[in-house]
Amino acid sequence: MTPEQRLAELAIRHAALAWLDQQRAKGKEVFSQADTSGVVLAGQTMRLMPTQQGIWKPSQLQAALSIRTVYRPEGSTRPYDDAVGSDGLYRYKMRGEDPDHYENRALRSAAVARLPLIWWLGVQGGGYSALYPIYLVGEERTALQFVVDISAVPQPDIVWPAAELDLDPAYRQRLTTVRLHQRPFRAAVLRAYETACAVCSFRHGDLLDAAHIHEDAQGGRPVVTNGLALCKMHHAAYDRHILGITPDYEVRVNEAVLHEVDGPMLRHGIQEFHGRALMVVPQRRSERPDKPALDARYQLFKAAG
Ligand SMILES: [Zn+2]
């Protein structure tokens, strides 16, 4: 790839990432094939997602633009045997058995030219969420896989202390896994709750979180039944055991906080929800919060009170 070609590649990729930023700013978390087709980037119309296989190189580009991993329920057969290595970097399987298949060459070109790519991750319930920018930082030919670095993906919700990563490979490995699952988890949970806080039904997507019931740090799984869509206020209150949720989907407020006297935020935002049912639960029964997980968390709330 000539330096001029590389600059052209970067211009189109930056336009693609800016387009995704705009979509996310509008609250869009889940993308379909159709959503990402016919996008105009730096004057060229293209598709951002592969239709058939996992690797996508638009005809206008010299190198691959995106990769895709379909959603796989835990315990099912995996279409790709991808995994996080002990170095905290992800492995993405090559197409087929030939490292020089044209799709693998397209990925190699992106690695050599250090071009940013988009990773489409399947969301529970359908569609894909976009993880970007990601970089391919190497390949392991005998294992037929590329090495993927996702540390440039902005994710303000999780702690990512770069300085300590070198000290503890296991920690780095775990953080990569969390980072990878966070966005599709959020997308799946917000879809299931129709972008509304379970406690108060507040509907501004940018002020909503996908909270874990069994906490992430304690090994909670990134599945919808282990999630709750909560506004920032109720998420923080839930994490600090100011607010609890019973296995019967009712809200409880910490005894001391319940009797505190403060302004309207405390009264209307917290105290008035005590004893009420959750305002929003997923339509599909199979996506509603897992009762044993809620109960375990509710016991922690009671013990903290
Ligand atoms: Zn709320």
Side-chain angles (χ1 to χ4, degrees):
M1 192 180 301
T2 67
E4 290 74 21
Q5 280 174 330
R6 180 168 184 272
L7 282 177
E9 290 273 326
L10 281 171
I12 287 176
R13 281 155 209 271
H14 288 159
L17 304 188
W19 182 84
L20 285 168
D21 280 345
Q22 283 167 11
Q23 297 295 312
R24 284 181 52 82
K26 285 191 272 184
K28 189 154 181 65
E29 304 269 349
V30 183
F31 295 85
S32 66
Q33 291 280 353
D35 294 333
T36 60
S37 295
V39 181
V40 180
L41 304 171
Q44 311 221 43
T45 305
M46 63 184 79
R47 187 153 53 76
L48 305 187
M49 198 189 289
T51 49
Q52 300 293 325
Q53 300 291 335
I55 301 166
W56 173 234
K57 186 190 85 63
S59 58
Q60 299 97 326
L61 295 181
Q62 308 283 321
L65 174 64
S66 69
I67 57 175
R68 181 174 62 175
T69 301
V70 300
Y71 178 74
R72 47 195 173 209
E74 285 174 73
S76 70
T77 320
R78 299 180 160 205
Y80 295 91
D81 191 16
D82 309 331
V84 182
S86 58
D87 52 8
L89 297 169
Y90 209 85
R91 266 58 181 180
Y92 190 85
K93 283 289 176 197
M94 291 182 184
R95 165 85 189 270
E97 312 257 291
D98 175 12
D100 290 318
H101 182 282
Y102 74 96
E103 289 184 0
N104 297 329
R105 282 192 278 116
L107 273 186
R108 191 167 297 121
S109 298
V112 170
R114 301 187 310 281
L115 296 169
L117 293 102
I118 302 157
W119 192 352
W120 298 105
L121 292 170
V123 172
Q124 187 182 2
Y128 292 86
S129 70
L131 201 69
Y132 60 92
I134 62 152
Y135 292 88
L136 300 172
V137 294
E139 66 179 289
E140 294 161 344
R141 277 204 177 219
T142 47
L144 294 167
Q145 60 198 14
F146 287 96
V147 182
V148 187
D149 185 357
I150 64 169
S151 60
V153 177
Q155 283 185 314
D157 295 354
I158 62 163
V159 188
W160 188 252
E164 282 128 64
L165 293 183
D166 296 336
L167 303 176
D168 186 353
Y171 186 56
R172 187 188 166 116
Q173 195 173 12
R174 203 188 65 74
L175 277 183
T176 299
T177 309
V178 169
R179 204 178 180 86
L180 190 72
H181 286 296
Q182 195 196 38
R183 193 156 288 177
F185 173 68
R186 174 184 166 81
V189 170
L190 291 194
R191 179 196 46 75
Y193 287 78
E194 295 175 356
T195 316
C197 174
V199 172
C200 69
S201 81
F202 184 74
R203 288 188 179 276
H204 283 266
D206 49 355
L207 293 175
L208 292 176
D209 291 337
H212 289 79
I213 298 169
H214 180 198
E215 286 183 273
D216 214 10
Q218 267 87 55
R221 297 178 310 142
V223 293
V224 171
T225 50
N226 188 42
L228 288 164
L230 293 175
C231 67
K232 297 282 181 192
M233 172 76 163
H234 290 134
H235 187 190
Y238 189 61
D239 280 355
R240 283 160 187 72
H241 301 304
I242 288 171
L243 187 146
I245 297 171
T246 73
D248 297 317
Y249 306 154
E250 284 184 11
V251 179
R252 295 286 184 273
V253 173
N254 168 290
E255 194 66 23
V257 174
L258 193 58
H259 298 106
E260 223 175 278
V261 178
D262 196 65
M265 181 61 99
L266 178 69
R267 194 164 65 247
H268 302 305
I270 301 280
Q271 291 166 335
E272 284 180 6
F273 288 99
H274 180 70
R276 286 207 208 158
L278 289 180
M279 292 185 75
V280 182
V281 290
Q283 293 278 327
R284 297 182 207 171
R285 283 192 169 274
S286 62
E287 293 189 330
R288 292 184 188 162
D290 179 57
K291 294 200 172 205
L294 273 181
D295 190 38
R297 183 71 184 259
Y298 184 58
Q299 298 309 320
L300 294 176
F301 163 79
K302 285 206 294 188

